[in-house]
Amino acid sequence: MTMGLRVDVDSIADALAVPELLVLLEEFNSRATFFITTGPDQTLMNVSHYAGKNLLNIPLKRYIPGFFHSILHHNVESHPSLGILINSGHEIGLHGYRHYEWMNFLHKKNMMEVSNMIKTGCRLFENEFGFFPRSFSSPGFATSKEYLFALDNFGFDYSSDFYGFHPFYPQVGDKKFDTVQLPVRIPSPCELQSNETKIPGMIKELSEKDNFILYIHPSCELLYRRELLKDILESAGNTLTLREIYENTADL
Ligand SMILES: [Zn+2]
């Protein structure tokens, strides 16, 4: 039993930290799934979401380098530091389109509008990485019934859009959806903040009995919680891609 590591690339600041994160993962013989958002970097519009009410807890300097790079490289997925992921042994999946708009306004969109956003994301992703994405995760864990209907039309092998314990097929009323969900068990340490010191112990315990998923952002955990991230990787043993977790999923 082991941990699936999900790495969300939401912004240019995240993209910039990817090469350094790969070095650290190599050191721990760990694999991960990188979910890459597409479209322009709008992170600075979204800082209040990441920092919650404690804006001072997440240093603005986390975003400043990305801000300057975003002027040169308009879209997150086309940032040159992501090219290193191709043929790296890690998995690359699609993390929606226009992260800020998605996580804040998905609930107002109809199925056609959601479909169009996913379609655009797939096209930008394919242009950049040379293959159609096989896995998906919804920015900000935003979901709706319309989203789940739209998602099923793309035939992704799996999606990771919820917090939870075990893989499942979402159901709304009588409707059971076709895209299997691999939920995140442990939120990103930067989001847990005061409880983060408990994470390595929790991971050690979980690793002995279950498959589970933890998610991180390179621009936060790698740059501001490096020692904790090392403890996490150490406690988890060899982490896997979400695809490997998916392939080990017993029949649901
Ligand atoms: Zn995200």
Side-chain angles (χ1 to χ4, degrees):
M1 296 297 157
T2 191
M3 184 173 100
L5 180 60
R6 169 177 152 178
V7 181
D8 286 12
V9 177
D10 294 354
S11 63
I12 301 283
D14 283 325
L16 282 167
V18 162
E20 206 180 322
L21 179 59
L22 289 195
V23 173
L24 187 71
L25 294 181
E26 177 85 46
E27 233 175 79
F28 288 87
N29 200 17
S30 288
R31 285 188 300 281
T33 295
F34 288 77
F35 282 113
I36 296 165
T37 201
T38 53
D41 183 351
Q42 301 167 305
T43 320
L44 281 181
M45 294 165 76
N46 217 20
V47 163
S48 61
H49 163 80
Y50 291 102
K53 290 189 173 55
N54 303 316
L55 234 142
L56 295 175
N57 284 357
I58 300 286
L60 262 186
K61 65 181 178 187
R62 177 181 162 194
Y63 300 107
I64 298 303
F67 176 71
F68 289 112
H69 276 257
S70 67
I71 295 168
L72 295 171
H73 303 285
H74 191 57
N75 279 11
V76 176
E77 81 282 358
S78 54
H79 194 277
S81 55
L82 295 177
I84 195 172
L85 286 171
I86 302 170
N87 301 323
S88 65
H90 300 284
E91 183 188 10
I92 322 173
L94 175 61
H95 192 38
Y97 171 61
R98 299 181 76 95
H99 197 285
Y100 172 83
E101 182 183 333
W102 182 294
M103 69 189 289
N104 289 291
F105 302 108
L106 183 84
H107 63 285
K108 292 186 176 166
K109 294 187 187 296
N110 64 34
M111 187 186 146
M112 190 55 77
E113 290 168 325
V114 179
S115 255
N116 284 337
M117 286 182 89
I118 300 176
K119 207 180 285 174
T120 307
C122 288
R123 182 173 51 77
L124 294 172
F125 182 101
E126 193 171 12
N127 283 348
E128 212 56 53
F129 301 107
F131 66 95
F132 192 87
R134 301 304 316 151
S135 52
F136 193 84
S137 70
S138 170
F141 296 88
T143 58
S144 64
K145 195 162 81 173
E146 291 70 21
Y147 162 71
L148 292 171
F149 272 109
L151 184 69
D152 273 358
N153 290 330
F154 287 85
F156 296 118
D157 292 334
Y158 70 86
S159 194
S160 181
D161 307 322
F162 295 90
Y163 285 107
F165 296 94
H166 299 111
F168 68 97
Y169 288 95
Q171 192 161 352
V172 179
D174 289 341
K175 169 68 186 169
K176 195 173 180 190
F177 292 92
D178 296 332
T179 311
V180 68
Q181 287 288 335
L182 300 189
V184 167
R185 176 92 170 238
I186 306 182
S188 78
C190 280
E191 287 174 355
L192 282 176
Q193 296 189 355
S194 58
N195 290 324
E196 64 184 33
T197 49
K198 295 181 184 156
I199 297 175
M202 203 194 300
I203 285 170
K204 205 164 207 135
E205 208 175 293
L206 275 175
S207 305
E208 282 160 19
K209 51 182 183 198
D210 219 346
N211 285 335
F212 64 98
I213 293 165
L214 169 138
Y215 97 109
I216 60 170
H217 296 99
S219 70
C220 193
E221 280 78 13
L222 179 74
L223 301 184
Y224 297 106
R225 303 286 193 282
R226 182 182 288 263
E227 288 312 306
L228 177 64
L229 183 56
K230 284 181 172 177
D231 283 351
I232 287 172
L233 295 173
E234 177 83 49
S235 306
N238 308 343
T239 65
L240 299 182
T241 63
L242 270 58
R243 172 160 306 279
E244 290 167 290
I245 300 277
Y246 160 74
E247 283 164 356
N248 287 322
T249 301
D251 292 343
L252 293 168

